[in-house]
Amino acid sequence: MGVAADMLKPTEAAVVARVALRDVNRVIDERILPEGFFSLDDGRRVAAAACTLIAFYFDSARRLTSEERLFAIREVGARLSRSRAHAFSSVLDEDWTVRDEFLTIDFAPFVRRTKERMDRLAAARDLITSDPEILGGAPIVRGTRIPAYDVAACVAAALPTKRILEAYPTLDADKVELAALYAEANPVRGRPRSSDPLPAGAVLVAERKTPRRGKGG
């Protein structure tokens, strides 16, 4: 996969860069990202390589001034632009150090993290599929009838992975994580649909207890 070959939706870029969606929109609106790393044609899109710059800009906010961060982004952005035709695996070996007088910044950790997060996003895209003949075309875990957003809702509700796997025994921990990542990168618009019942044999244990009324109640 080319460094910038994959143009991401803002929600996907937020997941890869590990920032809020509003932060992705901010770097576009304020032109913090260099030209060529985003597109406004037919909806907003962000180059995969831009996630390296986005993550750096917000992660380093407490240590560097805005001017220092923008300088570093311009320097690294130029290098990433020259490497856009190459795979991430090849650019990982490059020297991503930025130097300016007393300032030295190593971008390598941000490049590596972007590569790792893009790999996870690619795995999530491959795992989650849809079929108009199954659940009306709702996204499901490949090879099953399990709705991806139902699994993600369990993760969002902070249910232990063990309990989720008991409810969906055909999944494993990695698939649960990927389903949650897919849902985060592709949030549902509008009112959420009602959840489907748990699979046959699954037991929902209610942990909420009804308080007893007093004798005078």
Side-chain angles (χ1 to χ4, degrees), residues 155-215:
V155 175
L159 291 180
T161 301
K162 181 179 179 180
R163 284 189 59 188
I164 299 174
L165 296 179
E166 289 173 352
Y168 302 104
T170 57
L171 302 184
D172 55 34
D174 189 58
K175 290 180 179 178
V176 169
E177 181 180 319
L178 289 175
L181 189 149
Y182 177 89
E184 185 181 359
N186 301 276
V188 178
R189 293 185 177 183
R191 295 181 60 184
R193 66 177 179 81
S194 57
S195 298
D196 292 335
L198 290 174
V203 178
L204 179 62
V205 180
E207 297 179 347
R208 184 182 302 166
K209 296 182 179 180
T210 303
R212 294 182 178 179
R213 290 186 176 183
K215 293 182 179 180

Side-chain angles (χ1 to χ4, degrees), residues 4-68:
D6 200 346
M7 297 297 287
L8 308 176
K9 296 180 297 185
T11 50
E12 293 175 322
V15 167
V16 174
R18 289 185 173 178
V19 299
L21 176 59
R22 65 176 178 274
D23 293 332
V24 175
N25 287 321
R26 177 187 168 189
V27 297
I28 295 174
D29 294 335
E30 298 182 11
R31 296 300 192 268
I32 293 171
L33 288 180
E35 291 293 332
F37 283 89
F38 64 91
S39 172
L40 301 179
D41 299 331
D42 192 26
R44 294 187 170 201
R45 291 292 185 271
V46 180
C51 296
T52 298
L53 308 178
I54 297 171
F56 163 77
Y57 186 81
F58 292 103
D59 285 2
S60 62
R62 293 186 178 182
R63 298 185 179 183
L64 301 175
T65 66
S66 177
E67 291 76 12
E68 290 170 335

Side-chain angles (χ1 to χ4, degrees), residues 64 67-69 71-72 98-105:
L64 301 175
E67 291 76 12
E68 290 170 335
R69 286 178 286 154
F71 166 79
V98 174
R99 296 182 177 86
D100 180 49
E101 295 183 351
F102 301 106
L103 179 66
T104 301
I105 303 171

Side-chain angles (χ1 to χ4, degrees), residues 90 138 156-157 160 173 201:
S90 63

